[in-house]
Amino acid sequence: MTPAHNPCVLVIESDESLANQLAFDLKEAGYDAVMAHDGMSGLQHCRDRQPALIVIDRMLAGESGLSLCKNIRNAGLRSPVVVLMARDTVDDRVACLEAGADDYILKPYRSEDFLKLVRLYLKPEVTNTEQLRFGDLILDVSTRRAINNGRAIDLTMKEFELLKYLMEHPREVLTREQILENVWGYDFMGESNVIEVYIRYLRLKIEDEGQKRLIQTVRGVGYVLRES
């Protein structure tokens, strides 16, 4: 199905052959593909085009794709960012999150997996004024922003989806399998400990120092959102 209004996808990739393949697949799928081959032009395209999705190779020629991701976030751009990576370790996932990326996809490049991930992030937005509440924690569904004790918290798309799922099922123990299926929504290529990485960073963002833990680990099962 061709996406409506041809959302713009910016691909920042220094490997010309891979960049051409990504562009071809995106255009065939109905997206407006914009290419950049280095960080400087990529950042400029971000500012000029305000893409709906940004894809960055972690290993750009002569520079780090993760550093570029940080620069994009520091510039105030909130579009989802997906990183192309050659390795899949917990440290790699943590590095992506610390840089402000929403997700990653592994090399070698596979068109079907890539387009499935793109479609996931570019699903048509539905106007939603809903707010979810749990104690002093509020999640604004329309802005994808959390508020805790009056403090506004910016979330990546995946952090938002994870917190939303937890807040939709308060005090209910959710298994790792349930979380993977409902938050990631596609055949995830890594092990389930990707959830631990996202839970860790979500806790750092939403839990004030000295505050009771909101997202609690249920050993051997999964996680639960509860007061104590």
Side-chain angles (χ1 to χ4, degrees):
M1 181 182 296
T2 300
H5 310 303
N6 299 93
C8 175
V9 180
L10 172 63
V11 176
I12 307 171
E13 172 59 71
S14 54
D15 181 329
E16 190 171 340
S17 176
L18 180 53
N20 289 338
Q21 183 63 55
L22 288 159
F24 176 82
D25 289 338
L26 286 166
K27 289 172 183 175
E28 282 288 297
Y31 297 100
D32 177 14
V34 178
M35 296 293 112
H37 300 295
D38 59 74
M40 186 176 296
S41 61
L43 190 56
Q44 190 60 50
H45 277 306
C46 286
R47 294 185 174 119
D48 294 343
R49 298 294 298 266
Q50 297 288 312
L53 177 69
I54 304 166
V55 180
I56 304 174
D57 196 316
R58 180 173 181 173
M59 300 299 291
L60 293 172
E63 59 188 316
S64 164
L66 296 187
S67 294
L68 174 58
C69 185
K70 289 179 182 178
N71 291 337
I72 288 170
R73 293 303 185 219
N74 290 339
L77 297 160
R78 298 183 63 192
S79 302
V81 175
V82 173
V83 177
L84 284 163
M85 297 202 308
R87 298 185 310 170
D88 177 21
T89 68
V90 172
D91 287 344
D92 290 314
R93 296 167 188 163
V94 169
C96 280
L97 282 177
E98 289 178 337
D102 292 270
D103 217 326
Y104 67 91
I105 190 164
L106 291 177
K107 296 178 181 178
Y109 173 71
R110 297 178 183 86
S111 299
E112 185 179 342
D113 293 334
F114 173 68
L115 292 175
K116 191 183 293 185
L117 189 58
V118 171
R119 284 191 290 269
L120 175 69
Y121 277 97
L122 296 183
K123 287 185 294 191
E125 288 191 12
V126 177
T127 302
N128 196 333
T129 57
E130 179 186 5
Q131 285 190 338
L132 298 174
R133 291 175 178 264
F134 184 80
D136 294 323
L137 180 64
I138 300 170
L139 185 66
D140 189 313
V141 175
S142 60
T143 63
R144 299 197 193 105
R145 177 172 288 188
I147 301 169
N148 193 19
N149 289 318
R151 177 173 60 91
I153 306 161
D154 284 328
L155 303 170
T156 68
M157 181 176 285
K158 198 59 68 182
E159 288 168 343
F160 162 77
E161 290 178 354
L162 176 56
L163 182 57
K164 180 173 179 284
Y165 185 56
L166 290 168
M167 292 182 73
E168 286 172 339
H169 301 84
R171 304 174 192 88
E172 179 182 338
V173 177
L174 301 169
T175 67
R176 290 174 175 80
E177 291 74 20
Q178 286 176 303
I179 295 171
L180 276 176
E181 181 180 347
N182 287 277
V183 176
W184 273 259
Y186 64 99
D187 297 325
F188 192 69
M189 291 175 291
E191 308 112 9
S192 65
N193 66 355
V194 68
I195 300 170
E196 279 78 355
V197 176
Y198 278 89
I199 290 286
R200 172 187 164 192
Y201 277 87
L202 202 47
R203 282 171 173 162
L204 289 172
K205 286 189 174 185
I206 69 171
E207 295 177 0
D208 293 324
E209 189 174 348
Q211 185 187 39
K212 290 180 181 178
R213 173 141 287 173
L214 293 177
I215 304 173
Q216 299 181 20
T217 302
V218 180
R219 291 193 179 279
V221 183
Y223 296 92
V224 58
L225 185 71
R226 62 187 174 203
E227 296 90 341
S228 60

